[in-house]
């Protein structure tokens, strides 16, 4: 843990979210699990950057004979595949348990777990983490995307290609006079 205070750590139960978001389910059914994972990662990359959350998306590897794997996507987003035989729930519980002292020491302001698994919700709350349902996360991600678009549109509208539009009317008048050779 870095000595500075993190605004929040967000742990996302990847396959639970894919199974709960209609757009990701549709992608999974049409294009496969890899495509749905990619869409989730893309959505969470923007969301994490906008919110400033350190986000970990956790995927089960319990039925695949592979060792755990961590992939760093951005400074704030990473993907974790669990060990063979380990569920995403178990991984998330261990992370919550390890972060609990950092919450009490005020090194992490919040730990949030995104899943619609009711048993998982109760377990992580016992570690002091907050719970966010898959539907709530979907709503927050969509609202964040809308806010990002609005900010972009406002910046785009406020900036013009011409310097003259960035200066006040009095300065513009004086420049016009200079251009015409007036004193």
């Amino acid at each position: 843990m870095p000595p500075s205070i993190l605004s929040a750590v967000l742990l996302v139960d990847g396959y639970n979210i894919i199974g709960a978001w209609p757009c990701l389910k549709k992608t999974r059914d049409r294009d496969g699990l890899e495509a749905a994972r990619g869409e989730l990662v893309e959505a969470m990359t923007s969301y994490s950057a906008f919110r400033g959350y350190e986000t970990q998306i956790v995927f089960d590897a319990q039925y695949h004979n592979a060792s755990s794997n961590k992939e760093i996507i951005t400074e704030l987003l990473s993907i974790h595949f669990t060990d063979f035989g380990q569920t995403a729930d178990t991984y998330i519980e261990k992370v919550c348990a390890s972060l609990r002292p950092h919450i009490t020491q005020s090194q992490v302001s919040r730990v949030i777990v995104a899943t619609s698994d009711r048993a998982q919700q109760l377990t992580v709350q016992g570690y002091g983490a907050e719970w966010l349902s898959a539907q709530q996360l979907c709503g927050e991600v969509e609202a964040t995307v809308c806010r990002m678009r609005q900010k972009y549109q406002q910046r785009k509208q406020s900036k013009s290609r011409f310097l003259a539009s960035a200066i006040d009317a009095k300065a513009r008048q004086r420049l016009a006079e200079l251009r015409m050779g007036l004193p």
Side-chain angles (χ1 to χ4, degrees):
M1 260 299 116
S4 63
I5 298 174
L6 289 171
S7 69
V9 174
L10 174 62
L11 302 167
V12 178
D13 185 341
Y15 291 134
N16 183 278
I17 300 298
I18 287 172
W21 288 10
C23 60
L24 295 179
K25 271 174 44 174
K26 186 177 179 180
T27 299
R28 178 197 65 198
D29 295 344
R30 185 187 63 233
D31 302 323
L33 203 49
E34 185 67 31
R37 279 195 301 254
E39 271 187 41
L40 176 59
V41 168
E42 188 177 319
M44 296 311 301
T45 300
S46 300
Y47 179 74
S48 298
F50 191 81
R51 297 297 299 251
Y53 290 170
E54 181 183 300
T55 302
Q56 298 178 29
I57 303 174
V58 184
F59 293 107
D60 291 317
Q62 81 174 63
Y63 301 117
H64 302 288
N65 195 5
S67 59
S68 64
N69 184 19
K70 177 182 178 179
E71 195 176 322
I72 297 173
I73 305 301
T74 69
E75 183 179 307
L76 292 174
L77 180 74
S78 58
I79 302 171
H80 299 265
F81 290 93
T82 65
D83 276 323
F84 175 70
Q86 183 184 33
T87 65
D89 292 353
T90 306
Y91 177 91
I92 289 169
E93 289 166 18
K94 285 181 181 179
V95 172
C96 287
S98 72
L99 288 175
R100 185 176 189 157
H102 297 286
I103 295 170
T104 57
Q105 295 171 4
S106 299
Q107 293 172 327
V108 176
S109 64
R110 303 165 63 194
V111 175
I112 308 162
V113 176
T115 182
S116 287
D117 183 323
R118 177 80 171 134
Q120 182 74 354
Q121 170 198 351
L122 297 172
T123 303
V124 299
Q125 285 177 327
Y127 288 114
E130 300 172 33
W131 169 73
L132 200 60
S133 74
Q135 290 74 22
Q136 288 170 315
L137 180 62
C138 184
E140 283 196 19
V141 169
E142 288 175 354
T144 299
V145 168
C146 287
R147 284 194 299 268
M148 287 169 57
R149 281 188 189 131
Q150 287 172 344
K151 277 188 169 186
Y152 174 75
Q153 291 299 329
Q154 287 170 348
R155 279 191 208 139
K156 189 176 169 185
Q157 290 171 355
S158 68
K159 292 181 180 176
S160 175
R161 321 179 353 184
F162 302 107
L163 177 62
S165 63
I167 58 176
D168 63 35
K170 189 175 181 179
R172 206 174 345 199
Q173 176 64 34
R174 181 66 187 129
L175 285 172
E177 290 170 359
L178 288 170
R179 214 177 24 250
M180 291 185 230
L182 301 174

